Amino acid sequence: MLTKRAFLTVAASAMALAMTSAGHAAEDYPKEPIKLIVPYSPGGGTDVTARIVAEGMAKNLAQPIIVENRPGASGTVGTLLAKSAKADGYTLLFGIQATLALNPSLFKSATYAPKDDFAGVALISESPYVITVPGKAGIADYKQFAEAATERMTMANGGSAALLAARLLARDAGLKFSNIPYSGTGAAISDILAGRVNALISSPVSVLPHIESGALKPILVTSTTRYHALPDTPTAEELGFKGFNVVGWYSIVAPKGVPQDRLDMLNEAFRKTIADEAIAKRLMDVGVTPAPGKLTAAETSEYIAREYDLWTKEIADAGIEAQ
Amino acid sequence: MTDFISGFATALHPLNLFYCLIGVVLGNIVGVLPGIGAIAAISILLPVTFYLEPTTAVIMLAGVYYGAEYGGSISSILLNLPGTASNAITTLDGYPLARRGEAGTALLTAQISSFAGGTLGIVAMVVFSPLIVAFSLSFGPAEYFATLLLGLVAGSTAVGNSPLRGVAMVCIGMLLGSIGLDLNSGIARYDTGFPNLLDGLSIVAVAMGLFGIPEVVANIRAAQRDEKPIPISAGAMFAAFRKLRSIVPSVLRGAGIGGFLGPLPGAGPTIASFLAYSVERSTSRNPQEFGTGRINGVAAPEAANNAAAQTAFIPTMTLGIPGTPTMAIILGALMIHGIAPGPQLVGEHPDLFWGLVASFWVGNVFLLLLNVPLIGVWARLVSVPRRFFFPVIVALVCTGVYGVSNSVFDIWAVLLMGVAGYVFRCFGFSPAPLLIGFVLGPMIEQYLRRALMISNGDYAYLFSSGTSIAIHCLTLFVLLWPIVRSYRSKARMRAEETS
Amino acid sequence: MKTLKDASGGLLIALTGLVFLIGARNFAVGDLRNIGPGFFPVALSVLAIAAGLLITTLDVIKKAHAQMSMDLRALACVAAAIIVYAALLERAGVLVTTVLAVFILALARRPLRPLETLLLGTGLSAFIWAAFVLGLGMPLSLFPDILQ
């Protein structure tokens, strides 16, 4: 349905474009559907979040936002596509920590410079990582966890961002454990539930049901503030690692060069969207903690630049070479 | 059991019936269209599910999933195009049957076996649900390694008369599967500078290229000399019904294998269909007839992959472990409604869980009622002059493959795999072992390395549980049984000669 | 010589294995306790080369014949049609691409039936556009994208 409408509007706007000349003022924006490139497969957590946000923003912009999935190469394919799109505000990119802060340092094929190629539109969410152990393991708190963390301890992770968080914690806390990589947290859960691995670092949402059932015990979260659904779980900072703050984030960005007033307009539409309680709740339900929504478009650019610099340095310090 | 019956009250609610029907019809259609697969249809429907009750939403999405499994057999049989990897093995006997003019028989067999397999899978869910959870939790890297090894052995010996050729193709398949980022080291293997290759070759492109394209090349000119449509006999359907009794044991064996392997994330239905075929072939009195159009070769894998498609829901719903990307979307749809899949799901939302299970059976009945009358139509399609088929196949393959990730790169991959598949075929190599190597290869490597990491390099860990030892014994049996049997039959023949 | 040609299937396997072996030369093999990213590719390549050479040897000894002869004309036409899709689908739209591909496929056989081929191409384009673009929301257009 959406596509049919989109086609009609595209056809109509093609005619409009043919008749009028370019150079219209920003108040006309947006006058045709906006494309949001999601560099991941349809239906995954990232895609679902993007669709919820896109739907809400479309209402506030009075133009449809069409989500286009361009998966491949850990998000690199879609991100490169957005980089080369026209900077007119009609092509946006769903940018996440992995694609905008990590991948350029991890993959040679990620030939984009997040700071130079993209401009921020809005920061959607921030979410920490949580370390859990099997409830049967008899580890009650961080102190016991640290005592148990020897070379024989295995720590499962479901992706590069979680792995980096685990490495940073190991470095700052002086812990030793061996990291076991999995392709996604889902695959790691049965191994932690059965006790085949000793610990797991993951987003809270994927382990919450198992924490509630008592099968898993949370040890710490990696943000500076406690996680809303785990009020009793301490943060790394509370445990003495000052300034330790590793969070995953979602954002919307545009190719560099889009006029600032258009970016601000999109940011405004996003703020209205996130202020809608129904949408905020829907995001919470899929495990996305909406960011306060205080960041302007320009501040989002700064946020992404900071994150990029931080991770580029951490990855270099960890001695990881780009592939 | 009473829960299951009360689940029917939910499943038979008119609204749920309606969305179940939409789901299975759509799933069936995308299953028939090569390449596209359930995931595209589900992601189209996802926004709709925002406005539905969670139970209704999941009933519809699940319907798309197992409906596609049904539909996949249709293009496998008629066009030699496996809709999914788990339908690939169905082409081996289904397509020869169709070429022989027995498309009706093959389709009917596939539909009945799918229905029976699905039904038995649902029975297994209802009766053994807690056991299945315990079973899938007991599977660690060592047990997966054993199972995947069994799948590879079954896959390389399943087709043709030369196990050596099977092994060679499995190796090539596993090498192709190793393309892309290595999870453990982060190293990109064989990416040759293409970012598209970091995630590996698309399974759809490989399957379509290997099975569909060589078939087109081999026949596009042959058909010129033989323009006569393939005959289809009117009595074929009745003959098929009479033959159905002979497939009962195959269906039961297939459903058993499928129901057992379904809960294993990743490749449950695929391993199940290959293993079921391999078991049929090695327990048959005439193994050389497999691959030439035996209905048992259609029945067993179809029963297996449909049974597996049903039991696959147990770990998804009760552990929150999605076995496939499609399952991950269904989980996402639940979470949008604030329902967290996990151990508490069955207890907290019994109406949802049992309503869903009951709807599976309702959906299976829909699919059977929908497809059996259509068999005549599909079968008549085969009598359309074949010169019309080839452009349709090429066009559907190219567009369908493009749509998986909206990428022309995948069309180039089809070109490469199609040409390679045709050349291999000319030298008598079957594509089936290559495909199973491609699917299972990366997984077997991953599990072996994970097992070694967890055990600190101790190979004894691979044999540390009863389950893994039992599976390795089964692998040895699959490997050795054909040799033992051929030796015995030779001995018997000699004994007969002397007497 | 004829036999060697028929038996070159095994050589093809061995050659494929060799290509993958060369490609794997920079991957760390690791050791048996902690195997690296190169372990499987190297082991599989070697196995493929060995199996390929063995197949060829056996075929030569048994004087085996190839399953069927290669039809280069058909292969070229089908390959060209796929190339048309890969090169044009996003730029020229569904209609032009499909009609062109259908004509190329029709060249594999004589006589060429222009009207029938055109009708088939047009009908097929309409179906693809309806099913894939309208129904499944693929980002393709029916006609060449004049805006770009």
Side-chain angles (χ1 to χ4, degrees):
Chain A
M1 280 149 287
L2 183 68
T3 37
K4 191 174 174 185
R5 188 176 53 193
F7 169 75
L8 292 176
T9 351
V10 169
S13 55
M15 271 185 282
L17 200 82
M19 285 183 290
T20 60
S21 60
H24 264 272
E27 48 262 34
D28 290 356
Y29 175 84
K31 57 185 180 191
E32 55 183 86
I34 295 170
K35 185 163 82 180
L36 176 63
I37 294 178
V38 175
Y40 290 93
S41 297
T46 319
D47 177 65
V48 168
T49 310
R51 284 171 193 272
I52 293 173
V53 173
E55 202 191 325
M57 282 175 69
K59 269 184 211 141
N60 289 315
L61 289 166
Q63 277 291 353
I65 296 185
I66 298 154
V67 171
E68 197 173 298
N69 300 94
R70 296 279 182 167
S74 307
T76 303
V77 170
T79 308
L80 281 171
L81 202 73
K83 172 193 165 185
S84 56
K86 235 192 214 169
D88 54 5
Y90 289 103
T91 304
L92 304 176
L93 170 72
F94 199 81
I96 74 173
Q97 183 185 38
T99 54
L100 293 184
L102 306 180
N103 284 357
S105 317
L106 295 177
F107 309 125
K108 284 190 193 120
S109 59
T111 53
Y112 50 86
K115 288 197 281 187
D116 302 329
D117 294 334
F118 297 106
V121 169
L123 183 71
I124 297 171
S125 69
E126 284 187 313
S127 171
Y129 297 95
V130 61
I131 289 179
T132 47
V133 295
K136 287 175 289 201
I139 293 173
D141 55 24
Y142 175 75
K143 196 165 156 275
Q144 291 175 2
F145 172 80
E147 279 162 14
T150 62
E151 277 110 343
R152 293 289 296 144
M153 180 185 240
T154 46
M155 167 84 74
N157 68 73
S160 54
L163 169 63
L164 285 170
R167 282 192 177 173
L168 284 183
L169 185 75
R171 188 192 67 191
D172 288 10
L175 299 177
K176 284 177 187 159
F177 43 73
S178 59
N179 290 298
I180 314 283
Y182 287 78
S183 51
T185 304
I189 284 183
S190 73
D191 277 356
I192 179 108
L193 287 178
R196 278 181 293 264
V197 289
N198 307 119
L200 167 71
I201 182 158
S202 68
S203 65
V205 64
S206 46
V207 289
L208 275 181
H210 300 291
I211 293 175
E212 277 163 28
S213 77
L216 296 180
K217 166 95 185 131
I219 299 299
L220 65 85
V221 293
T222 58
S223 53
T224 44
T225 53
R226 290 194 176 198
Y227 185 70
H228 64 91
L230 297 171
D232 299 328
T233 307
T235 66
E237 192 166 59
E238 290 170 42
L239 294 166
F241 311 115
K242 201 155 164 25
F244 193 89
N245 185 30
V246 180
V247 292
W249 44 266
Y250 288 161
S251 73
I252 294 176
V253 298
K256 196 85 156 195
V258 176
Q260 191 62 41
D261 48 357
R262 291 189 178 189
L263 295 176
D264 291 337
M265 213 164 145
L266 289 167
N267 184 276
E268 183 61 30
F270 171 76
R271 281 165 190 248
K272 277 188 200 150
T273 304
I274 211 80
D276 182 340
E277 269 174 37
I279 286 177
K281 184 181 175 303
R282 225 199 251 163
L283 286 175
M284 299 277 260
D285 285 341
V286 294
V288 172
T289 318
K294 278 178 201 146
L295 295 195
T296 63
E299 284 163 353
T300 305
S301 294
E302 285 163 25
Y303 181 94
I304 292 170
R306 251 194 336 268
E307 278 280 308
Y308 171 75
D309 290 340
L310 170 78
W311 289 107
T312 305
K313 182 176 174 300
E314 297 291 2
I315 291 168
D317 287 355
I320 301 167
E321 273 179 48
Q323 291 300 327
Chain B
M1 200 64 200
T2 49
D3 288 325
F4 179 54
I5 290 159
S6 69
F8 273 102
T10 313
L12 292 174
H13 185 279
L15 195 70
N16 291 343
L17 271 181
F18 175 70
Y19 281 102
C20 180
L21 184 63
I22 291 196
V24 295
V25 169
L26 199 66
N28 207 28
I29 295 172
V30 293
V32 176
L33 290 176
I36 271 299
I39 198 158
I42 285 189
S43 49
I44 299 292
L45 288 179
L46 201 61
V48 180
T49 63
F50 289 167
Y51 306 101
L52 295 176
E53 284 292 308
T55 310
T56 314
V58 177
I59 283 176
M60 178 171 72
L61 296 181
V64 177
Y65 172 71
Y66 56 80
E69 206 71 44
Y70 265 77
S73 66
I74 296 175
S75 48
S76 294
I77 290 169
L78 293 179
L79 304 175
N80 204 36
L81 285 176
T84 59
S86 56
N87 290 121
I89 203 90
T90 309
T91 61
L92 295 184
D93 281 278
Y95 186 66
L97 274 168
R99 294 297 309 264
R100 253 196 347 236
E102 295 182 54
T105 314
L107 289 169
L108 189 67
T109 306
Q111 295 303 330
I112 302 271
S113 312
S114 296
F115 179 74
T119 305
L120 291 170
I122 294 165
V123 171
M125 280 177 86
V126 174
V127 181
F128 303 119
S129 175
L131 251 161
I132 293 176
V133 172
F135 173 72
S136 63
L137 267 186
S138 77
F139 258 64
E143 289 77 13
Y144 276 114
F145 174 75
T147 311
L148 293 163
L149 194 62
L150 173 61
L152 279 181
V153 168
S156 53
T157 55
V159 281
N161 293 315
S162 162
L164 186 60
R165 285 175 182 242
V167 168
M169 287 309 259
V170 163
C171 286
I172 302 293
M174 289 174 76
L175 283 169
L176 289 169
S178 72
I179 293 174
L181 277 184
D182 170 46
L183 184 61
N184 290 60
S185 62
I187 280 180
R189 296 192 293 204
Y190 304 117
D191 69 327
T192 54
F194 293 104
N196 305 65
L197 279 179
L198 286 179
D199 288 341
L201 281 170
S202 148
I203 164 81
V204 180
V206 172
M208 295 289 136
L210 281 179
F211 284 83
I213 300 301
E215 191 59 32
V216 173
V217 179
N219 290 300
I220 194 164
R221 298 234 288 162
Q224 190 179 2
R225 278 159 242 145
D226 177 21
E227 202 78 327
K228 245 191 288 171
I230 293 170
I232 88 152
S233 64
M237 293 273 279
F238 291 101
F241 269 114
R242 234 176 300 134
K243 276 189 192 168
L244 283 182
R245 213 176 307 153
S246 75
I247 63 167
V248 170
S250 308
V251 167
L252 289 177
R253 277 191 292 262
I257 292 168
F260 190 71
L261 293 176
L264 306 182
T270 307
I271 304 181
S273 64
F274 273 80
L275 193 59
Y277 187 86
S278 171
V279 165
E280 280 317 299
R281 191 176 190 257
S282 49
T283 56
S284 163
R285 280 172 201 280
N286 318 71
Q288 72 282 0
E289 282 179 17
F290 277 82
T292 61
R294 274 192 62 118
I295 56 171
N296 304 66
V298 174
E302 281 301 314
N305 65 32
N306 283 280
Q310 303 295 355
T311 50
F313 274 91
I314 296 271
T316 306
M317 304 298 281
T318 57
L319 294 173
I321 301 168
T324 61
T326 321
M327 287 293 182
I329 300 187
I330 293 175
L331 282 192
L334 277 178
M335 284 160 69
I336 285 173
H337 290 283
I339 295 173
Q344 302 95 324
L345 182 112
V346 184
E348 284 173 12
H349 303 278
D351 50 325
L352 185 148
F353 183 77
W354 294 108
L356 179 66
V357 175
S359 88
F360 289 168
W361 199 71
V362 174
N364 271 279
V365 172
F366 276 146
L367 285 164
L368 191 69
L369 294 180
L370 200 78
N371 280 318
V372 169
L374 280 178
I375 285 176
V377 180
W378 289 120
R380 216 165 299 140
L381 209 69
V382 179
S383 60
V384 170
R386 293 190 71 81
R387 67 169 187 276
F388 291 120
F389 269 16
F390 307 118
V392 173
I393 295 176
V394 172
L396 287 183
V397 165
C398 289
T399 336
V401 160
Y402 171 82
V404 174
S405 43
N406 296 331
S407 157
V408 284
F409 187 86
D410 290 350
I411 306 182
W412 292 110
V414 166
L415 176 70
L416 185 73
M417 296 313 300
V419 172
Y422 178 71
V423 174
F424 279 136
R425 181 182 158 142
C426 287
F427 289 110
F429 292 92
S430 166
L434 196 160
L435 186 68
I436 194 143
F438 179 79
V439 174
L440 302 188
M443 297 173 71
I444 201 169
E445 175 182 13
Q446 198 49 56
Y447 282 114
L448 176 62
R449 289 166 78 180
R450 188 174 295 151
L452 291 176
M453 284 177 90
I454 287 178
S455 66
N456 214 5
D458 183 3
Y459 279 82
Y461 182 76
L462 294 175
F463 306 94
S464 58
S465 78
T467 316
S468 59
I469 291 172
I471 298 169
H472 284 303
C473 289
L474 195 60
T475 310
L476 271 181
F477 175 78
V478 170
L479 211 60
L480 298 179
W481 175 242
I483 303 170
V484 173
R485 196 185 43 192
S486 79
Y487 177 78
R488 270 182 26 190
S489 72
K490 268 181 202 152
R492 200 181 309 128
M493 263 158 56
R494 229 173 288 134
E496 276 164 14
E497 275 168 21
T498 49
S499 72
Chain C
M1 199 55 213
K2 177 80 177 69
T3 319
L4 191 65
K5 193 182 159 201
D6 285 347
S8 54
L11 291 180
L12 202 67
I13 298 281
L15 189 70
T16 314
L18 189 65
V19 170
F20 274 96
L21 187 61
I22 293 169
R25 68 193 180 283
N26 292 330
F27 304 160
V29 176
D31 57 61
L32 278 176
R33 291 168 69 81
N34 185 14
I35 63 181
F39 185 85
F40 264 71
V42 169
L44 290 167
S45 305
V46 171
L47 195 57
I49 294 170
L53 294 178
L54 192 58
I55 289 169
T56 296
T57 314
L58 290 177
D59 280 359
V60 170
I61 290 171
K62 286 190 288 187
K63 298 201 167 27
H65 292 283
Q67 198 100 336
M68 54 194 215
S69 58
M70 224 176 280
D71 185 341
L72 286 178
R73 185 187 169 91
L75 185 61
C77 286
V78 174
I82 302 173
I83 290 172
V84 164
Y85 267 99
L88 294 181
L89 187 61
E90 278 189 339
R91 269 171 276 178
V94 173
L95 182 68
V96 173
T97 310
T98 305
V99 171
L100 196 59
V102 169
F103 266 96
I104 291 174
L105 285 173
L107 288 178
R109 31 188 314 116
R110 293 232 170 77
L112 182 71
R113 309 172 195 215
L115 186 67
E116 181 189 288
T117 310
L118 185 67
L119 282 177
L120 181 64
T122 320
L124 194 53
S125 314
F127 172 77
I128 286 174
W129 187 68
F132 290 98
V133 182
L134 284 189
L136 294 167
M138 272 187 209
L140 291 173
S141 56
L142 182 57
F143 301 109
D145 208 341
I146 44 163
L147 287 175
Q148 298 292 311

